[in-house]
């Protein structure tokens, strides 16, 4: 039972354009969401997060949007750069369940020069 | 900067061997975690710990055990390694419920 789903295994965009990575969840108890980026042979690094009391959070080129009614979040990267090429994981946690950060399957982003 | 280190980047073990994966964090975090990453499955939680000598099962604890004798150190033990435990193992620490700080990972191959 995959509670957090990233339905696109891969995405390819041109440098300078927008990258949009999507994530869907099924558990209505999730109230905190995070995005991580992972390069090959390295551990994931935190990118950006959003609480369910917000619908948008922005940090430089990265913006996360949360649509609670649709149980959907997305990560926008504008403008995309070749160094953004990596695997992106979304993750979610439920209030009162601190150990259970549930990760999606990951989306591999390739940004072409 | 938070630093999480893992004892090995690459390991090759034989079926049936006992395997120890060590993880150390230097930020005095209460929480530590072990995940495995497999293609198409994302990161799955094996075990976690909120305090010294405390452990809780994650989603896939079967075939694994853990030890946390000191706050900064969290060990993952494969009691009898099997080929289906070939994977990337990631240790993480966290000061709170959300953000995890990950180590570089250990690529374990069981032959």
């Amino acid at each position: 039972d995959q509670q957090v789903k990233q339905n696109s295994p891969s995405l390819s965009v041109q440098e300078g354009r927008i990258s949009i990575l999507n994530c869907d969840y099924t558990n209505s108890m999730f109230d905190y969401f995070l995005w991580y980026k992972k390069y090959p042979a390295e551990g994931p690094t935190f990118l950006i997060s959003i609480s369910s009391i917000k619908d948008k959070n922005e940090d430089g080129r990265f913006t996360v949007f949360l649509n609670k009614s649709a149980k959907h979040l997305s990560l926008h990267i504008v403008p995309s750069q070749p160094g953004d090429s990596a695997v992106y994981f979304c993750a979610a946690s439920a209030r009162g369940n601190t150990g259970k950060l549930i990760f999606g399957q990951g989306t591999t982003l390739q940004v072409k020069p | 900067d938070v630093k999480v280190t893992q004892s090995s980047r690459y390991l090759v073990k034989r079926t049936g061997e006992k395997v120890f994966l060590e993880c150390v964090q230097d930020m005095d975090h209460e929480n530590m975690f072990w995940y495995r990453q497999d293609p198409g499955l994302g990161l799955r939680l094996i075990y976690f710990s909120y305090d010294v000598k405390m452990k809780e099962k994650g989603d896939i604890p079967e075939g694994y055990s853990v030890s946390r004798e000191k706050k900064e150190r969290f060990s993952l033990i494969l009691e009898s390694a099997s080929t289906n435990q070939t994977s990337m193992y990631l240790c993480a620490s966290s000061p709170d419920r959300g953000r995890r700080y990950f180590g570089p990972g250990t690529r374990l191959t069981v032959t």
Side-chain angles (χ1 to χ4, degrees):
Chain A
D1 177 26
Q2 191 79 24
Q3 296 186 66
V4 179
K5 294 182 184 180
Q6 294 175 256
N7 291 316
S8 298
S10 62
L11 175 68
S12 182
V13 301
Q14 210 65 36
E15 181 179 7
R17 307 294 290 269
I18 184 171
S19 295
I20 300 176
L21 296 98
N22 293 304
C23 181
D24 296 296
Y25 62 96
T26 57
N27 190 340
S28 57
M29 297 299 291
F30 288 151
D31 66 342
Y32 188 61
F33 305 87
L34 306 91
W35 284 94
Y36 283 81
K37 178 167 78 171
K38 186 182 185 298
Y39 293 117
E42 292 184 16
T45 55
F46 170 78
L47 202 53
I48 193 168
S49 63
I50 188 167
S51 163
S52 61
I53 62 173
K54 294 185 175 182
D55 54 18
K56 176 183 172 181
N57 189 26
E58 199 170 347
D59 184 2
R61 296 186 297 115
F62 302 92
T63 304
V64 56
F65 294 92
L66 175 62
N67 183 333
K68 289 184 288 293
S69 60
K71 294 191 177 68
H72 177 84
L73 67 155
S74 60
L75 175 69
H76 292 210
I77 307 173
V78 184
S80 302
Q81 299 173 355
D84 296 330
S85 298
V87 180
Y88 289 79
F89 293 98
C90 66
S93 73
R95 189 180 302 111
N97 200 355
T98 56
K100 294 283 189 174
L101 191 60
I102 308 297
F103 285 83
Q105 307 97 310
T107 296
T108 301
L109 173 65
Q110 184 185 24
V111 180
K112 297 180 179 177
Chain B
D1 259 4
V2 176
K3 193 159 187 186
V4 180
T5 56
Q6 295 183 228
S7 51
S8 304
R9 296 300 300 271
Y10 300 93
L11 270 181
V12 180
K13 296 291 181 180
R14 294 189 180 276
T15 301
E17 278 192 83
K18 191 168 186 175
V19 182
F20 293 87
L21 302 181
E22 304 285 340
C23 175
V24 178
Q25 52 98 359
D26 65 358
M27 283 303 292
D28 202 36
H29 288 166
E30 300 288 341
N31 311 305
M32 296 189 75
F33 309 84
W34 275 105
Y35 294 86
R36 62 178 280 178
Q37 182 198 354
D38 300 288
L41 297 176
L43 278 67
R44 293 180 293 166
L45 182 64
I46 305 171
Y47 266 97
F48 60 101
S49 169
Y50 290 145
D51 203 350
V52 175
K53 295 192 187 294
M54 176 273 171
K55 60 187 178 185
E56 292 235 8
K57 292 180 180 179
D59 297 316
I60 50 165
E62 296 78 19
Y64 303 94
S65 62
V66 290
S67 171
R68 193 163 181 203
E69 297 295 320
K70 294 185 178 180
K71 190 175 185 180
E72 68 271 18
R73 188 178 297 269
F74 192 34
S75 303
L76 180 70
I77 303 152
L78 286 67
E79 296 291 342
S80 177
S82 62
T83 54
N84 63 12
Q85 292 179 310
T86 291
S87 186
M88 169 70 83
Y89 289 87
L90 293 159
C91 174
S93 71
S94 174
D96 54 39
R97 64 172 293 204
R99 183 171 173 174
R100 307 282 191 263
Y101 296 83
F102 284 89
T106 296
R107 172 71 66 184
L108 173 67
T109 302
V110 182
T111 60

